[in-house]
Amino acid sequence: MSKAIGLVEFKTVSSGITAADIMVKTAEVDIIHAETVCPGKYFVLIEGDLSAVRAAVDAASNHATEHLIDTFVLGNPHESLFGAIYGTIEIQNPKALGILETYSVASAIVAADTAAKTAIVDLIELRLARGMCGKSYLLLTGEVSAVSAAIDKAIAGAGGNGMFLDSSVIAGPDEKLWKNIL
């Protein structure tokens, strides 16, 4: 038994809410976040044991396949993911800045988990489709080499299904930019 999270993302609200119901009826999982995001997409994030999460995501993925955008199952997610999603991370000494943008919520979370597990970096923010026409992005900081390695690996994680959009690494962001970001 291992801790896991999983997500399904749909083009329509009705498909997403129905998928949430299917997920909790399929396996012993908890919904930790479910919401409508711009432009009328719906995603459901669940947690539970790895096998239960996988079964729930598989069951939901088979529902309304014409409206399914993206999914994932992550075993042992990095502990900083939820702080980045909910904006509770405090960065004391920012260094280089890494930015990665995706077309889906699922690919952004997978990219953030990959980045955080690749190098010694701090996730700053994980913006999940709110106010972005369904796109998502992540911000992270650390030494330039660590940020570059984390972003490179995250691109590979997010880009496998065509959901990667763009990325950048800024070696020494100006203090005015940091004040705006942090």
Side-chain angles (χ1 to χ4, degrees):
M1 299 217 283
S2 60
K3 179 182 174 187
I5 61 172
L7 182 137
V8 293
E9 184 175 358
F10 285 89
K11 295 176 192 173
T12 67
V13 174
S14 60
S15 294
I17 292 173
T18 303
D21 185 59
I22 290 168
M23 293 169 93
V24 296
K25 288 178 177 174
T26 297
E28 187 60 38
V29 296
D30 293 313
I31 297 172
I32 53 177
H33 195 100
E35 74 174 310
T36 304
V37 292
C38 188
K41 298 181 350 179
Y42 196 88
F43 74 88
V44 183
L45 182 61
I46 60 169
E47 69 179 349
D49 292 333
L50 183 58
S51 59
V53 169
R54 190 175 317 273
V57 168
D58 287 348
S61 297
N62 291 324
H63 157 74
T65 56
E66 71 277 9
H67 296 297
L68 183 67
I69 296 171
D70 206 355
T71 69
F72 74 77
V73 173
L74 288 175
N76 299 314
H78 195 272
E79 64 272 1
S80 65
L81 278 180
F82 292 103
I85 291 170
Y86 297 117
T88 59
I89 294 180
E90 291 186 30
I91 305 298
Q92 299 301 322
N93 188 19
K95 295 179 173 79
L97 176 63
I99 308 122
L100 186 137
E101 190 173 348
T102 70
Y103 287 111
S104 74
V105 170
S107 61
I109 294 173
V110 170
D113 184 66
T114 301
K117 289 176 178 175
T118 296
I120 299 172
V121 294
D122 292 313
L123 293 175
I124 298 169
E125 181 179 6
L126 187 49
R127 176 73 56 97
L128 302 178
R130 280 173 253 123
M132 297 192 49
C133 291
K135 298 186 299 181
S136 297
Y137 70 85
L138 67 94
L139 301 175
L140 56 86
T141 188
E143 297 295 332
V144 176
S145 59
V147 168
S148 294
I151 291 293
D152 287 347
K153 192 75 165 181
I155 289 169
N161 57 0
M163 293 295 172
F164 169 72
L165 178 60
D166 196 13
S167 69
S168 184
V169 174
I170 303 171
D174 189 275
E175 187 64 33
K176 293 175 187 173
L177 180 61
W178 279 125
K179 286 181 182 178
N180 186 56
I181 290 173
L182 301 176

